[in-house]
């Protein structure tokens, strides 16, 4: 059986490699054509090629499950067409045992997918974000027109809201605005800084202008009378050190899509959101999806098995590949639908992330079981309901 498993692995790996190369080339070509309008003096053609090269790990991460599905269907359908699967079945290998062999073949791909998800893709995404900041002057992600917003508690029990207009490629920031509130959410200080840099868990602000609001300002505005003291006092500082829970990594985490972070970065960002009493539902779902990502490959190979085991006379290789593409696209759309519906309906994160995988596996196993035991099922039906027996 080891020889048969090696032969199956070689055929599947080779077919998947060809499919993934074709898909990567196709999507990269479309992205290049779509970005050609942005080519100019600063964003030159070599820069565009560099950005597309950095996007390759992310595309491979996205396309790997569908590439495995189509490649496995191509390889197994080819074996079925050459009657090699029939030889395996005649030699005593059941459909379920053959499926277990396919699962073993998928294990190296799962390990590779884990390494890709944890190390290669996050590093490429960070480099891509830095390059986008450098050459485009902006970064993709959760950025509003007013910049990036963060909230954190202060040591005296108050609240601080930080607005950063621009992130730099070296991890520093420009255009920082601080809103500091005391425990009653009453604004006490408004500060602006031209730039900032992180050092030793502190944000060192440059060219700071602080506006301190007097405690009597609110009462003076309520009385509509001129206050006895100045309601606000403006001071200028060349530098100010701010103790903050932010860091360059957390700033980049805000730019990255949660699924593109490594597990360690994602856990740190979730802890930061919880510590600052911010909603971390999207990140928790992304954590479950990252954990389940390698098992998505098992789902794909399980879906490919019943399609490929069908007899060739019921449909050629092209028809099976077409069905596989439809199922792969349908599975992707179901995953996205489950994510959006789960977030809106407040489903448990594990259900949002694992629900489509579990449903697809159960359906595929059910289809494979029907194919495996269809003759026994037919004999049972004929014995139980003899009037439904086909006439001789």
């Amino acid at each position: 059986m080891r020889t048969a498993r090696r032969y199956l692995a070689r055929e599947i790996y080779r077919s998947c490699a060809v499919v993934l190369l074709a898909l990567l080339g196709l999507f990269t070509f479309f992205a290049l054509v779509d970005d050609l309008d942005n080519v100019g003096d600063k964003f030159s053609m070599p820069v565009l090629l560099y950005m597309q090269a950095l996007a390759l790990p992310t595309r491979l991460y996205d396309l790997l499950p569908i590439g495995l599905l189509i490649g496995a269907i191509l390889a197994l359908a080819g074996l079925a067409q050459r009657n090699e699967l029939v030889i395996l079945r005649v030699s005593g290998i059941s459909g379920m045992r053959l499926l277990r062999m396919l699962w073993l073949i998928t294990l190296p791909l799962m390990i590779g997918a884990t390494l890709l998800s944890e190390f290669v893709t996050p590093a490429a995404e960070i480099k891509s974000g830095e390059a986008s900041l450098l050459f485009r002057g902006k970064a993709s992600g959760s950025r509003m027109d007013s910049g990036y917003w963060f909230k954190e508690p202060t040591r005296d029990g108050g609240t601080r809201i930080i607005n950063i207009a621009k992130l730099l490629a070296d991890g520093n920031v420009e255009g920082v605005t601080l809103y500091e509130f005391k425990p009653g959410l009453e604004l006490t200080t408004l500060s602006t800084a031209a730039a900032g840099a992180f050092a030793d868990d502190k944000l060192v602000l440059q060219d700071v202008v602080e506006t301190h609001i007097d405690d009597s300002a609110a009462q003076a505005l309520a009385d509509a009378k001129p206050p006895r003291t100045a309601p606000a006092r403006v001071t200028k500082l060349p530098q100010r050190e701010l103790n903050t829970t932010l860091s360059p990594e957390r700033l980049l985490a805000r730019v990255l899509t949660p699924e593109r972070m490594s597990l360690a970065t994602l856990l740190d960002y979730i802890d930061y959101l919880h510590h600052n009493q911010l909603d971390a539902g999207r990140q928790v779902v992304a954590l479950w999806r990252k954990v389940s990502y390698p098992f998505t490959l098992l789902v794909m190979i399980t879906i490919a098995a019943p399609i490929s085991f069908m007899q060739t006379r019921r449909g050629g290789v092209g028809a099976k590949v077409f069905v596989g593409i439809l199922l792969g696209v349908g599975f992707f759309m179901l995953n996205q639908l489950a994510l959006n519906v789960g977030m809106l309906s407040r489903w448990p994160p594990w259900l949002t992330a694992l629900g489509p995988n579990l449903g697809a596996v159960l359906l595929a196993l059910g289809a494979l079981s029907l194919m495996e035991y269809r003759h026994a099922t037919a004999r049972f039906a004929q014995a139980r309901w003899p009037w439904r027996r086909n006439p001789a």
Side-chain angles (χ1 to χ4, degrees):
M1 290 304 102
R2 183 179 299 177
T3 303
R5 186 168 63 248
R6 287 178 178 175
Y7 180 68
L8 285 173
R10 185 169 64 249
E11 292 293 319
I12 291 175
Y13 293 162
R14 182 170 55 189
S15 181
C16 290
V18 172
V19 171
L20 284 173
L21 284 175
L23 291 175
L24 282 174
L26 187 65
F27 279 84
T28 301
F29 174 75
F30 288 153
L32 276 171
V33 172
D34 187 53
D35 245 357
L36 281 177
D37 293 339
N38 298 323
V39 174
D41 294 334
K42 189 175 182 180
F43 193 73
S44 60
M45 193 65 187
V47 172
L48 174 59
L49 295 176
Y50 173 67
M51 295 283 291
Q52 293 303 319
L54 289 177
L56 286 177
T58 302
R59 289 200 185 98
L60 180 60
Y61 175 89
D62 293 331
L63 294 172
L64 184 57
I66 295 180
L68 174 61
L69 175 64
I70 299 174
I73 290 175
L74 274 174
L76 294 174
L79 294 176
Q81 195 173 33
R82 298 192 299 268
N83 295 323
E84 293 177 87
L85 285 182
V86 176
I87 296 173
L88 288 176
R89 300 295 297 274
V90 171
S91 64
I93 299 179
S94 64
M96 290 298 176
R97 187 175 180 185
L98 193 57
L99 179 61
R100 288 195 295 270
M101 291 173 61
L102 295 177
W103 285 347
L104 288 175
I105 290 170
T106 313
L107 287 179
L109 296 177
M110 294 175 63
I111 296 173
T114 303
L115 296 177
L116 177 69
S117 172
E118 283 301 298
F119 301 103
V120 183
T121 299
E125 281 288 304
I126 291 174
K127 289 292 184 182
S128 180
E130 292 175 350
S132 182
L133 285 170
L134 181 62
F135 297 111
R136 297 177 187 262
K138 62 180 182 179
S140 59
S142 54
R143 186 188 189 279
M144 301 180 181
D145 292 337
S146 56
Y148 301 94
W149 293 85
F150 302 90
K151 173 189 171 186
E152 61 183 13
T154 57
R155 292 181 176 179
D156 59 356
T159 302
R160 179 191 297 130
I161 296 177
I162 304 175
N163 173 248
I164 296 175
K166 187 177 181 181
L167 303 180
L168 302 180
D170 57 1
N172 296 332
V173 295
E174 287 184 354
V176 182
T177 304
L178 303 178
Y179 303 88
E180 298 177 78
F181 300 85
K182 59 185 182 181
L185 290 180
E186 183 178 338
L187 183 65
T188 58
T189 307
L190 170 64
S191 306
T192 60
F198 289 93
D200 300 328
D201 297 329
K202 294 181 180 180
L203 178 60
V204 182
L205 301 176
Q206 307 292 335
D207 300 327
V208 183
V209 178
E210 294 184 345
T211 302
H212 299 274
I213 300 174
D214 192 80
D215 293 339
S216 61
Q219 186 62 40
L221 291 173
D223 295 340
K225 295 180 180 180
R228 296 181 179 179
T229 59
R233 176 172 48 88
V234 178
T235 58
K236 294 184 179 180
L237 301 173
Q239 182 174 297
R240 176 187 173 185
E241 291 187 352
L242 182 69
N243 292 311
T244 177
T245 56
L246 289 178
S247 64
E249 291 77 16
R250 287 174 175 173
L251 290 178
L252 286 174
R254 181 63 181 270
V255 175
L256 296 180
T257 306
E259 285 82 4
R260 303 292 183 262
M261 303 179 192
S262 65
L263 280 177
T265 304
L266 189 54
L267 287 170
D268 176 71
Y269 192 55
I270 291 173
D271 180 68
Y272 164 78
L273 293 175
H274 285 158
H275 179 71
N276 293 288
Q277 299 178 353
L278 298 173
D279 183 25
R282 176 70 178 88
Q283 285 72 23
V284 174
V285 173
L287 178 65
W288 277 95
R289 287 168 72 92
K290 280 192 70 69
V291 171
S292 65
Y293 174 76
F295 299 97
T296 305
L297 302 182
L298 284 181
V299 176
M300 294 294 104
I301 202 72
T302 307
I303 293 174
I307 299 174
S308 306
F309 292 169
M310 290 189 302
Q311 296 298 324
T312 307
R313 64 177 179 269
R314 297 183 183 178
V317 176
K320 295 178 181 179
V321 173
F322 179 71
V323 172
I325 293 174
L326 287 181
L327 288 175
V329 173
F331 180 77
F332 174 79
M333 294 177 64
L334 182 63
N335 246 333
Q336 292 302 117
L337 181 63
L339 173 62
N340 296 327
V341 174
M343 292 292 296
L344 291 174
S345 304
R346 300 288 182 178
W347 291 353
W350 66 268
L351 181 60
T352 303
L354 301 179
N357 286 347
L358 294 175
V361 166
L362 291 176
L363 287 176
L365 289 177
L368 188 61
S369 299
L370 287 176
M371 293 177 60
E372 182 73 11
Y373 303 109
R374 62 182 181 274
H375 297 300
T377 304
R379 288 195 298 269
F380 175 79
Q382 290 177 3
R384 189 72 179 268
W385 300 287
W387 57 86
R388 300 187 61 179
R389 185 177 304 166
N390 295 327

